[in-house]
Amino acid sequence: MSDRRTEILRAATRVIARRGVRGLRVGELAAEAGVSTSLIYYHFTDRAGILRRTLEFISDRADRYTAERDPALDSVDPRTELTQVLLLELQDTPEVRENSTAWGELRASAVFDADLREDVAKATHTWVHEIADLLAHARPMGTAPAHAAAAERLTALLEGLSVRWLSGSLPLEHARRLLMDAIEVELNTTVGSEVFGAGYRK
């Protein structure tokens, strides 16, 4: 991806996090990115294209910061890796705050936008699949349906906790503790939960 295109997507993420999807105007985006509106249309065609590519940018950026590891640790066991990946979505840093706010705004807007809804569903499916893989390594005796259902529950909980934290309804440390408790519950009940999990996948 070109540096100019990346900077436009960074700017779009900032604008969405600050003003929401409805507040995203191409003129304001151009000013934020320091480019012309014609260049934005050249790269993204229309507003729907901007939103689609911004969603991908946000997902890729989350993948990068949740992949960070403590350099002091030579190796991490699967249970710890799962916990770290999920907890890294609840960090009080400008990047995570911005990313999580923009993601939440795009998901909320997808309720009213069928095109965006499809893109959000795809991004969510990818995320759930990644967490299910981590669960499979952490609890290998479980089944694929059980891991998928647990991943659905954990990612949905994480999104809800993030919104409550970002909106000031929940202290960050309490949100992190609730998430850790939920991870422990899922890891201890994955085996044999496929009967309950089967209905979660479509």
Side-chain angles (χ1 to χ4, degrees):
M1 186 182 297
S2 70
D3 291 342
R4 187 59 60 85
R5 185 182 171 93
T6 299
E7 185 49 46
I8 293 170
L9 292 173
R10 284 198 189 99
T13 303
R14 290 194 300 270
V15 173
I16 291 172
R18 187 170 65 235
R19 298 178 56 82
V21 169
R22 293 185 180 183
L24 180 66
R25 301 287 183 267
V26 175
E28 181 178 355
L29 174 56
E32 182 81 18
V35 301
S36 65
T37 56
S38 60
L39 185 64
I40 291 176
Y41 285 119
Y42 170 77
H43 282 297
F44 304 102
T45 306
D46 54 20
R47 190 172 183 277
I50 296 168
L51 294 177
R52 183 176 302 111
R53 298 305 173 211
T54 302
L55 180 64
E56 292 173 3
F57 174 80
I58 289 168
S59 296
D60 289 344
R61 191 161 71 167
D63 285 343
R64 285 195 297 276
Y65 63 66
T66 56
E68 294 174 356
R69 296 289 180 271
D70 186 343
L73 299 175
D74 293 330
S75 62
V76 177
D77 67 89
R79 291 173 71 101
T80 301
E81 181 179 15
L82 170 68
T83 302
Q84 286 183 349
V85 166
L86 291 171
L87 285 176
L88 285 169
E89 293 278 9
L90 290 172
Q91 301 180 75
D92 193 8
T93 66
E95 183 178 53
V96 174
R97 276 182 169 273
E98 182 180 272
N99 229 53
S100 297
T101 302
W103 170 264
E105 178 63 22
L106 285 161
R107 179 175 291 289
S109 296
V111 173
F112 309 100
D113 185 333
D115 292 333
L116 186 56
R117 193 178 309 149
E118 183 177 347
D119 294 324
V120 169
K122 287 178 182 177
T124 302
H125 177 78
T126 298
W127 185 27
V128 169
H129 182 74
E130 290 168 355
I131 299 303
D133 281 348
L134 291 173
L135 281 159
H137 285 95
R139 192 79 177 194
M141 63 286 292
T143 65
H147 293 139
E152 295 270 16
R153 290 189 291 268
L154 286 173
T155 53
L157 174 64
L158 176 51
E159 286 185 321
L161 291 173
S162 181
V163 169
R164 290 193 179 188
W165 162 53
L166 291 167
S167 64
S169 301
L170 195 65
L172 178 59
E173 286 310 311
H174 187 49
R176 290 170 65 89
R177 172 51 58 189
L178 290 171
L179 180 59
M180 286 190 287
D181 289 346
I183 293 168
E184 283 303 308
V185 168
E186 294 294 353
L187 287 174
N188 291 329
T189 60
T190 297
V191 177
S193 66
E194 52 268 35
V195 172
F196 300 99
Y200 280 77
R201 305 301 295 165
K202 295 182 179 179

